[in-house]
mmCIF file of all heavy atoms in Angstrom:
data_model
loop_
_atom_site.group_PDB
_atom_site.id
_atom_site.type_symbol
_atom_site.label_atom_id
_atom_site.label_comp_id
_atom_site.label_asym_id
_atom_site.label_seq_id
_atom_site.Cartn_x
_atom_site.Cartn_y
_atom_site.Cartn_z
ATOM 1 N N THR E 118 19.754 105.802 -28.448
ATOM 2 C CA THR E 118 18.338 106.126 -28.653
ATOM 3 C C THR E 118 17.506 104.860 -28.791
ATOM 4 O O THR E 118 17.937 103.881 -29.406
ATOM 5 C CB THR E 118 18.181 106.988 -29.926
ATOM 6 O OG1 THR E 118 18.884 108.209 -29.744
ATOM 7 C CG2 THR E 118 16.733 107.290 -30.235
ATOM 8 N N LEU E 119 16.307 104.902 -28.219
ATOM 9 C CA LEU E 119 15.351 103.809 -28.386
ATOM 10 C C LEU E 119 13.976 104.408 -28.613
ATOM 11 O O LEU E 119 13.482 105.197 -27.798
ATOM 12 C CB LEU E 119 15.322 102.902 -27.156
ATOM 13 C CG LEU E 119 14.374 101.705 -27.238
ATOM 14 C CD1 LEU E 119 14.792 100.745 -28.357
ATOM 15 C CD2 LEU E 119 14.331 100.972 -25.901
ATOM 16 N N THR E 120 13.354 104.050 -29.746
ATOM 17 C CA THR E 120 12.029 104.544 -30.090
ATOM 18 C C THR E 120 11.086 103.363 -30.265
ATOM 19 O O THR E 120 11.449 102.352 -30.856
ATOM 20 C CB THR E 120 12.080 105.389 -31.384
ATOM 21 O OG1 THR E 120 12.951 106.499 -31.170
ATOM 22 C CG2 THR E 120 10.712 105.893 -31.774
ATOM 23 N N ARG E 121 9.887 103.539 -29.725
ATOM 24 C CA ARG E 121 8.846 102.516 -29.860
ATOM 25 C C ARG E 121 7.800 103.029 -30.851
ATOM 26 O O ARG E 121 7.310 104.159 -30.728
ATOM 27 C CB ARG E 121 8.197 102.264 -28.499
ATOM 28 C CG ARG E 121 7.029 101.289 -28.549
ATOM 29 C CD ARG E 121 6.515 100.932 -27.171
ATOM 30 N NE ARG E 121 6.267 102.118 -26.363
ATOM 31 C CZ ARG E 121 6.427 102.154 -25.041
ATOM 32 N NH1 ARG E 121 6.858 101.107 -24.380
ATOM 33 N NH2 ARG E 121 6.159 103.267 -24.370
ATOM 34 N N VAL E 122 7.468 102.180 -31.840
ATOM 35 C CA VAL E 122 6.455 102.510 -32.841
ATOM 36 C C VAL E 122 5.435 101.388 -32.880
ATOM 37 O O VAL E 122 5.800 100.214 -32.932
ATOM 38 C CB VAL E 122 7.084 102.702 -34.244
ATOM 39 C CG1 VAL E 122 6.003 102.985 -35.276
ATOM 40 C CG2 VAL E 122 8.117 103.821 -34.222
ATOM 41 N N ALA E 123 4.164 101.750 -32.831
ATOM 42 C CA ALA E 123 3.082 100.779 -32.972
ATOM 43 C C ALA E 123 2.043 101.382 -33.908
ATOM 44 O O ALA E 123 1.795 102.592 -33.866
ATOM 45 C CB ALA E 123 2.456 100.459 -31.618
ATOM 46 N N LEU E 124 1.463 100.534 -34.749
ATOM 47 C CA LEU E 124 0.465 101.044 -35.690
ATOM 48 C C LEU E 124 -0.615 100.019 -35.973
ATOM 49 O O LEU E 124 -0.442 98.818 -35.771
ATOM 50 C CB LEU E 124 1.123 101.518 -36.988
ATOM 51 C CG LEU E 124 1.868 100.511 -37.861
ATOM 52 C CD1 LEU E 124 0.916 99.748 -38.782
ATOM 53 C CD2 LEU E 124 2.914 101.206 -38.699
ATOM 54 N N ASP E 125 -1.743 100.551 -36.423
ATOM 55 C CA ASP E 125 -2.901 99.761 -36.802
ATOM 56 C C ASP E 125 -3.423 100.345 -38.107
ATOM 57 O O ASP E 125 -3.773 101.529 -38.172
ATOM 58 C CB ASP E 125 -3.961 99.852 -35.696
ATOM 59 C CG ASP E 125 -5.283 99.163 -36.051
ATOM 60 O OD1 ASP E 125 -5.332 98.406 -37.044
ATOM 61 O OD2 ASP E 125 -6.277 99.403 -35.326
ATOM 62 N N ILE E 126 -3.463 99.533 -39.147
ATOM 63 C CA ILE E 126 -4.030 99.968 -40.428
ATOM 64 C C ILE E 126 -5.544 99.815 -40.301
ATOM 65 O O ILE E 126 -6.142 98.857 -40.768
ATOM 66 C CB ILE E 126 -3.446 99.162 -41.605
ATOM 67 C CG1 ILE E 126 -1.924 99.283 -41.618
ATOM 68 C CG2 ILE E 126 -4.035 99.660 -42.923
ATOM 69 C CD1 ILE E 126 -1.234 98.433 -42.661
ATOM 70 N N SER E 127 -6.136 100.766 -39.620
ATOM 71 C CA SER E 127 -7.507 100.667 -39.132
ATOM 72 C C SER E 127 -8.521 101.418 -39.961
ATOM 73 O O SER E 127 -9.721 101.216 -39.809
ATOM 74 C CB SER E 127 -7.556 101.232 -37.704
ATOM 75 O OG SER E 127 -7.167 102.600 -37.726
ATOM 76 N N GLY E 128 -8.052 102.368 -40.782
ATOM 77 C CA GLY E 128 -8.970 103.289 -41.421
ATOM 78 C C GLY E 128 -9.348 104.442 -40.506
ATOM 79 O O GLY E 128 -10.126 105.316 -40.880
ATOM 80 N N ARG E 129 -8.813 104.439 -39.289
ATOM 81 C CA ARG E 129 -9.059 105.512 -38.320
ATOM 82 C C ARG E 129 -7.737 106.228 -38.054
ATOM 83 O O ARG E 129 -6.983 105.841 -37.166
ATOM 84 C CB ARG E 129 -9.635 104.938 -37.026
ATOM 85 C CG ARG E 129 -10.991 104.284 -37.197
ATOM 86 C CD ARG E 129 -11.588 103.810 -35.892
ATOM 87 N NE ARG E 129 -10.702 102.977 -35.113
ATOM 88 C CZ ARG E 129 -10.552 101.657 -35.283
ATOM 89 N NH1 ARG E 129 -11.228 101.031 -36.236
ATOM 90 N NH2 ARG E 129 -9.733 100.965 -34.520
ATOM 91 N N PRO E 130 -7.438 107.260 -38.825
ATOM 92 C CA PRO E 130 -6.133 107.914 -38.695
ATOM 93 C C PRO E 130 -5.979 108.654 -37.370
ATOM 94 O O PRO E 130 -6.898 109.332 -36.911
ATOM 95 C CB PRO E 130 -6.103 108.881 -39.876
ATOM 96 C CG PRO E 130 -7.523 109.087 -40.265
ATOM 97 C CD PRO E 130 -8.259 107.841 -39.884
ATOM 98 N N TRP E 131 -4.788 108.485 -36.793
ATOM 99 C CA TRP E 131 -4.477 109.161 -35.541
ATOM 100 C C TRP E 131 -2.971 109.134 -35.360
ATOM 101 O O TRP E 131 -2.319 108.167 -35.756
ATOM 102 C CB TRP E 131 -5.145 108.439 -34.365
ATOM 103 C CG TRP E 131 -5.223 109.285 -33.134
ATOM 104 C CD1 TRP E 131 -4.313 109.348 -32.107
ATOM 105 C CD2 TRP E 131 -6.267 110.193 -32.791
ATOM 106 N NE1 TRP E 131 -4.727 110.230 -31.152
ATOM 107 C CE2 TRP E 131 -5.936 110.774 -31.546
ATOM 108 C CE3 TRP E 131 -7.450 110.572 -33.425
ATOM 109 C CZ2 TRP E 131 -6.737 111.717 -30.923
ATOM 110 C CZ3 TRP E 131 -8.258 111.498 -32.798
ATOM 111 C CH2 TRP E 131 -7.892 112.055 -31.564
ATOM 112 N N LEU E 132 -2.426 110.162 -34.776
ATOM 113 C CA LEU E 132 -1.004 110.161 -34.430
ATOM 114 C C LEU E 132 -0.850 110.516 -32.965
ATOM 115 O O LEU E 132 -1.370 111.536 -32.511
ATOM 116 C CB LEU E 132 -0.207 111.171 -35.275
ATOM 117 C CG LEU E 132 1.274 111.322 -34.873
ATOM 118 C CD1 LEU E 132 2.065 110.046 -35.146
ATOM 119 C CD2 LEU E 132 1.907 112.518 -35.567
ATOM 120 N N VAL E 133 -0.137 109.665 -32.240
ATOM 121 C CA VAL E 133 0.341 109.992 -30.907
ATOM 122 C C VAL E 133 1.847 110.149 -31.038
ATOM 123 O O VAL E 133 2.550 109.208 -31.447
ATOM 124 C CB VAL E 133 -0.014 108.902 -29.875
ATOM 125 C CG1 VAL E 133 0.628 109.218 -28.524
ATOM 126 C CG2 VAL E 133 -1.527 108.773 -29.741
ATOM 127 N N TRP E 134 2.353 111.324 -30.717
ATOM 128 C CA TRP E 134 3.762 111.679 -30.941
ATOM 129 C C TRP E 134 4.379 112.082 -29.613
ATOM 130 O O TRP E 134 3.990 113.093 -29.020
ATOM 131 C CB TRP E 134 3.824 112.814 -31.954
ATOM 132 C CG TRP E 134 5.174 113.409 -32.210
ATOM 133 C CD1 TRP E 134 5.667 114.572 -31.701
ATOM 134 C CD2 TRP E 134 6.199 112.887 -33.068
ATOM 135 N NE1 TRP E 134 6.934 114.813 -32.188
ATOM 136 C CE2 TRP E 134 7.280 113.789 -33.035
ATOM 137 C CE3 TRP E 134 6.309 111.750 -33.864
ATOM 138 C CZ2 TRP E 134 8.450 113.591 -33.761
ATOM 139 C CZ3 TRP E 134 7.463 111.557 -34.585
ATOM 140 C CH2 TRP E 134 8.519 112.461 -34.532
#
Side-chain angles (χ1 to χ4, degrees):
T118 298
L119 181 63
T120 300
R121 176 173 50 213
V122 178
L124 63 83
D125 174 13
I126 303 175
S127 61
R129 296 184 308 276
W131 198 268
L132 174 67
V133 174
W134 174 259

